Amino acid sequence: DIQMTQSPSSLSASVGDRVTVTCRASQTISSYLNWYQQKPGKAPKLLIYAASSLQSGVPSRFSGSGSGTDFTLTISSLQPEDFATYYCQQSYATPRTFGQGTKVEVK
Amino acid sequence: QVQLVQSGAEVKKPGASVKVSCKASGYTFTSDGINWVRQAPGQGLEWMGWISAYTGNTNYAQKLQGRVTMTTDTSTSTAYMELRSLRSDDTAVYYCARGGSLGWFDTWGQGTLVTVSS
């Protein structure tokens, strides 16, 4: 199975901050990398697919980059509604696997 | 709008089975697949498997092979996930999520809490 490792596991930030979350795959996955946002008690929401494509309706402050084994999710200017947990997920092979999550908290 | 609506919460005893439904609307059901993902309390996301709503082909996570069955009813645009021989560590919120061969999950159900307890 392909292991996905996110860093950091949690971070504290303020509204307006630039936030970066990284995700590393245990083997090359080309650009088959997706990002989700999950708020407490809610289902995950797709933000970015195929490493850098913004899902329809998602604000442009979210962006994704990377290929191969190393990927990044960036929030250019953190908004109050962005405090949540973020997961990466590989779709290169089955079983689909997720990172352990990165919780973005209020500083 | 594309929507997936799941059945309600369940409480089961160890060794029992549970069947969760996921009704799709707002798109052509057979044009895509349905994935099932679960999340134990306070934990991350675990992919359980995928079913093609067009062919009925399935792909299950190896750790669940033999205990899980995914089916679809195209007449009602509904997907089902049955998990048998339940254990306490199957306690989780179970999600269905639309997704095709490219592997991202663009629409999720609201989740179904399954509690396994004696």
Side-chain angles (χ1 to χ4, degrees):
Chain A
D1 298 1
I2 299 173
Q3 307 302 316
M4 307 301 295
T5 304
Q6 289 181 233
S7 60
S9 295
S10 65
L11 64 90
S12 298
S14 301
V15 172
D17 284 353
R18 182 181 182 88
V19 169
T20 298
V21 179
T22 63
C23 178
R24 175 164 289 176
S26 61
Q27 67 181 73
T28 183
I29 58 171
S30 185
S31 295
Y32 291 89
L33 191 283
N34 313 301
W35 290 97
Y36 301 86
Q37 176 194 67
Q38 187 179 33
K39 296 181 179 179
K42 299 295 187 182
K45 172 187 173 183
L46 178 65
L47 299 175
I48 302 286
Y49 63 92
S52 60
S53 295
L54 192 67
Q55 173 67 354
S56 175
V58 174
S60 59
R61 62 181 179 272
F62 291 93
S63 64
S65 64
S67 67
T69 60
D70 294 312
F71 301 87
T72 300
L73 172 71
T74 300
I75 309 172
S76 61
S77 177
L78 196 66
Q79 297 302 298
E81 60 268 30
D82 300 338
F83 292 100
T85 300
Y86 293 84
Y87 293 94
C88 62
Q89 174 243 333
Q90 65 80 19
S91 51
Y92 181 82
T94 58
R96 309 300 192 202
T97 47
F98 293 86
Q100 81 279 13
T102 295
K103 188 173 184 179
V104 177
E105 300 175 299
V106 177
K107 191 171 187 177
Chain B
Q1 76 282 19
V2 176
Q3 197 173 8
L4 300 175
V5 178
Q6 298 183 221
S7 49
E10 304 261 12
V11 179
K12 297 292 183 182
K13 294 192 182 304
S17 299
V18 69
K19 192 169 186 177
V20 179
S21 68
C22 170
K23 184 171 177 59
S25 61
Y27 72 102
T28 301
F29 183 62
T30 51
S31 68
D32 229 326
I34 295 289
N35 294 266
W36 291 89
V37 176
R38 68 180 180 178
Q39 186 170 38
Q43 302 302 306
L45 301 167
E46 179 187 14
W47 181 79
M48 300 176 66
W50 169 89
I51 181 167
S52 165
Y54 179 66
T55 64
N57 289 345
T58 56
N59 186 334
Y60 300 141
Q62 188 162 11
K63 70 175 285 189
L64 296 173
Q65 286 274 2
R67 287 207 300 139
V68 68
T69 302
M70 297 176 187
T71 57
T72 59
D73 181 344
T74 56
S75 69
T76 60
S77 299
T78 303
Y80 299 91
M81 185 284 300
E82 181 180 33
L83 189 60
R84 299 177 293 278
S85 302
L86 289 167
R87 309 187 289 245
S88 58
D89 62 356
D90 292 316
T91 293
V93 175
Y94 288 75
Y95 294 102
C96 60
R98 187 177 76 155
S101 59
L102 293 176
W104 57 78
F105 312 145
D106 66 359
T107 304
W108 294 64
Q110 83 278 18
T112 297
L113 175 62
V114 175
T115 303
V116 183
S117 174
S118 54

